[in-house]
Amino acid sequence: MNSLKTITVLWVLFYNLSSINSQQGYNDLVSISELKEDLLILKNNLEEVHPGLYAYHSKEKFDILFSEIEQNLKQPITSIDFYRRLLPILPLIANNHTHIMCPLDYKEALVTSLPRLPFRLYVKERRLYLHEDASNEQIIGLGKEILSINGKSAGAIIDTIVNTSSKDGFNTSLAIYGLGVSFSRYYAYYFGTPKHFKIEYLEKNGTLKTANIQGVKVPILIERRGSTSISQSTNILEFNITNNIAYLKINSFQPKSAGKFRKKLKSYFKQIKEKKIEQLIIDVRGNGGGYGEAADEVFSYLINETVFTYKDEYALVDKIPYPQYYEKDMFFKHFKKQPLVKKGDIYHIRNIKNQKVQPKNNRYQGDLYVMLDGASASATGQFLGLVKSYTNAIFIGQEAGGNPAETTANDLLHMTLPNSKVRVTIPALRSVSNVTFKNTGHGIIPDYEIIPEIHDILQNNDIVLDFTLKLIHNKHQE
């Protein structure tokens, strides 16, 4: 999203979509004056609270886009329509912790009573492939390429969703990952919930075919998927040593017990040291982040010197200016307790530059390989930035979804616009990590980009791990 012209095109697209796909019955019409009031509330809160609002795009672009949205509110529309018209704001903010979400009643209807596309689709290079089929018809076949849905091309669908999703900077890997995991939900958010879907697809011999697929409600989808549904391990940590190679899978940096997390890590790295392992693979694919303290605990086993992890962390305000619109949740309460010190017009976290991670006695000092993907975001993105800066790790996989240098991610404030009931998440703190490279608006780029094909996904072939093991083997053959 590099130009105002592109943003304007996206706005026009959503204006047309909202006019066509209004969800009557779930949202009453909202008056023009009420919509404009919500729009102004949204703009004021973003401008006054969000410390990363203009990190990638100018205030002028924001003002123009908000003006366009306001000028085109010429008649009452539903909250779903209004929600869709707001989505082009997200690529201007370019922050994967800032969200504009549909009203809660529509979200609940999507998981109870509304029909959904009964497919999970794999996304690669603006193309869609059938990954999982829970339809009534079962006629397309897994692995087939989907060319269009209800007359809209696969590329256009992907572009619409990815380009207006929450993401860090110019990175699209997290949005693509999310689309692959929850395609039918995103399709419903952006394009509605028709009862039938006209699917154009390609047979393996290149023949173009069409199938009419009935929408299916989520409870039925869940029942049909059963044990075959895609799921991630419930174990936060997985560890093994095979052929003198240690493998540590970190599924999340949000352990239920910090003590158990630390104890397991200590045990793993003790084994690595006792067995004199010199090849370690750390796998953070699918790890959407969590607690910075947990990420720092892992990092402490990988460094040889003390690292001060932050250059700065700051807010625009020391108190929430419009508290009546926000949920009084733990983030709201936590922000009120932040040790903020005003310097100029900015409120900085006191002593943030003194926060440090010290190396463990049984730290690892051998070759390090890190596997990453689009879901490696938030605290995981920051972890990867520190690993890149202070170790000699080799990165394999796909661009990480989280920004490793700067991110607006802490104390997520949740507000609801009073008239449309559109929900918004605004992070109140911006963090600047003490990394050795500049913020480019991208996640960590792998040294070796390895992206699975649909047949790898269907056959459960872990080509990223296979490549990493081969890389290690070849190094020892030299």
Side-chain angles (χ1 to χ4, degrees):
M1 308 305 299
N2 293 319
S3 70
L4 181 60
K5 181 178 179 181
T6 307
I7 297 294
T8 302
V9 168
L10 284 171
W11 187 90
V12 171
L13 171 64
F14 274 99
Y15 176 82
N16 292 333
L17 280 174
S18 64
S19 299
I20 295 170
N21 293 296
S22 61
Q23 299 294 324
Q24 299 294 335
Y26 291 94
N27 295 98
D28 295 331
L29 291 176
V30 185
S31 71
I32 298 173
S33 62
E34 289 175 321
L35 294 169
K36 289 185 176 182
E37 180 186 10
D38 278 8
L39 186 64
L40 182 60
I41 290 170
L42 174 60
K43 190 172 189 290
N44 287 343
N45 277 269
L46 287 172
E47 289 179 337
E48 295 187 38
V49 177
H50 199 301
L53 190 62
Y54 308 123
Y56 300 101
H57 297 281
S58 68
K59 184 179 186 305
E60 179 186 10
K61 288 185 179 180
F62 275 87
D63 291 343
I64 292 173
L65 180 57
F66 271 93
S67 178
E68 287 181 346
I69 295 173
E70 181 183 16
Q71 290 172 13
N72 284 280
L73 293 173
K74 299 178 179 179
Q75 61 186 21
I77 57 175
T78 68
S79 294
I80 299 301
D81 293 342
F82 184 60
Y83 153 71
R84 291 179 179 141
R85 294 192 189 192
L86 297 178
L87 288 173
I89 296 169
L90 291 175
L92 281 184
I93 301 174
N95 170 256
N96 71 15
H97 290 81
T98 306
H99 303 286
I100 297 174
M101 299 167 287
C102 67
L104 191 58
D105 61 347
Y106 184 62
K107 178 185 177 182
E108 292 174 346
L110 287 179
V111 297
T112 55
S113 59
L114 291 174
R116 297 262 291 272
L117 178 68
F119 293 159
R120 180 172 277 120
L121 301 177
Y122 180 61
V123 184
K124 184 176 182 183
E125 297 175 352
R126 298 183 71 249
R127 301 171 80 169
L128 294 173
Y129 300 90
L130 185 56
H131 183 184
E132 181 182 274
D133 185 353
S135 69
N136 300 329
E137 294 79 11
Q138 297 283 315
I139 58 177
I140 295 180
L142 300 185
K144 303 287 179 62
E145 182 176 357
I146 305 298
L147 299 180
S148 71
I149 301 173
N150 286 345
K152 186 171 290 295
S153 71
I157 293 171
I158 293 169
D159 288 346
T160 298
I161 297 175
V162 169
N163 290 338
T164 54
S165 293
S166 298
K167 62 179 90 53
D168 270 349
F170 312 110
N171 185 354
T172 61
S173 60
L174 178 60
I176 290 172
Y177 181 94
L179 185 55
V181 171
S182 303
F183 186 90
S184 74
R185 175 164 54 87
Y186 278 103
Y187 187 94
Y189 285 157
Y190 284 73
F191 302 104
T193 55
K195 293 182 179 180
H196 295 88
F197 298 86
K198 181 181 178 182
I199 308 294
E200 288 186 319
Y201 66 99
L202 278 181
E203 289 285 3
K204 291 183 178 180
N205 62 7
T207 302
L208 175 65
K209 285 197 171 183
T210 300
N212 290 307
I213 304 297
Q214 184 178 356
V216 178
K217 297 177 182 178
V218 165
I220 299 174
L221 289 178
I222 293 173
E223 182 180 344
R224 289 178 179 175
R225 285 171 175 168
S227 60
T228 65
S229 183
I230 300 168
S231 62
Q232 185 171 306
S233 173
T234 56
N235 296 321
I236 294 292
L237 297 172
E238 301 173 36
F239 178 76
N240 65 70
I241 296 175
T242 306
N243 298 325
N244 292 318
I245 299 172
Y247 171 84
L248 175 60
K249 171 70 171 172
I250 309 171
N251 288 308
S252 171
F253 284 122
Q254 195 168 353
K256 293 181 180 179
S257 169
K260 289 182 180 179
F261 185 82
R262 289 193 297 267
K263 187 176 180 179
K264 285 185 177 181
L265 283 176
K266 184 177 181 179
S267 171
Y268 298 155
F269 281 94
K270 182 180 179 182
Q271 293 180 54
I272 289 172
K273 187 171 185 177
E274 289 177 346
K275 296 183 179 182
K276 299 180 179 180
I277 301 299
E278 296 183 354
Q279 311 293 327
L280 170 62
I281 300 170
I282 291 183
D283 186 354
V284 292
R285 292 174 297 171
N287 185 338
Y291 306 127
E293 294 84 356
D296 288 346
E297 188 69 17
V298 178
F299 183 55
S300 68
Y301 285 97
L302 307 177
I303 52 177
N304 294 313
E305 60 180 335
T306 297
V307 174
F308 292 87
T309 53
Y310 286 98
K311 293 179 181 178
D312 199 3
E313 188 169 23
Y314 59 90
L316 295 184
V317 295
D318 62 345
K319 59 180 63 176
I320 299 165
Y322 308 100
Q324 66 269 30
Y325 301 124
Y326 292 89
E327 294 179 21
K328 307 307 185 288
D329 57 14
M330 65 175 185
F331 290 113
F332 184 94
K333 296 174 183 177
H334 187 263
F335 181 72
K336 295 172 68 174
K337 299 177 182 178
Q338 288 286 5
L340 296 168
V341 178
K342 189 174 184 180
K343 295 180 182 179
D345 296 328
I346 304 297
Y347 295 87
H348 300 263
I349 296 291
R350 184 185 294 114
N351 297 325
I352 189 66
K353 293 182 181 180
N354 295 330
Q355 184 168 315
K356 61 186 178 182
V357 176
Q358 295 178 304
K360 290 287 196 297
N361 291 331
N362 60 336
R363 60 190 177 273
Y364 176 72
Q365 300 183 67
D367 295 333
L368 177 61
Y369 302 84
V370 179
M371 300 193 300
L372 66 166
D373 65 6
S376 305
S378 193
T380 306
Q382 292 177 300
F383 167 78
L384 292 171
L386 293 171
V387 170
K388 182 176 178 63
S389 296
Y390 298 102
T391 77
N392 293 317
I394 295 173
F395 297 89
I396 303 111
Q398 302 173 54
E399 178 181 355
N403 191 297
E406 300 181 29
T407 182
T408 311
N410 290 331
D411 284 357
L412 306 176
L413 306 178
H414 301 102
M415 67 179 298
T416 300
L417 300 179
N419 302 306
S420 63
K421 306 305 178 185
V422 170
R423 298 166 297 140
V424 182
T425 300
I426 302 177
L429 289 168
R430 184 162 180 81
S431 304
V432 182
S433 294
N434 188 19
V435 295
T436 57
F437 50 86
K438 294 182 179 180
N439 178 20
T440 63
H442 283 278
I444 293 297
I445 305 296
D447 299 292
Y448 299 93
E449 184 182 59
I450 308 296
I451 302 177
E453 301 289 346
I454 181 61
H455 62 80
D456 297 312
I457 301 295
L458 293 175
Q459 296 171 17
N460 292 318
N461 295 331
D462 191 344
I463 67 169
V464 180
L465 179 57
D466 291 345
F467 179 90
T468 305
L469 293 172
K470 186 177 179 180
L471 196 64
I472 295 170
H473 176 76
N474 290 342
K475 180 177 181 179
H476 283 271
Q477 293 296 106
E478 294 177 354

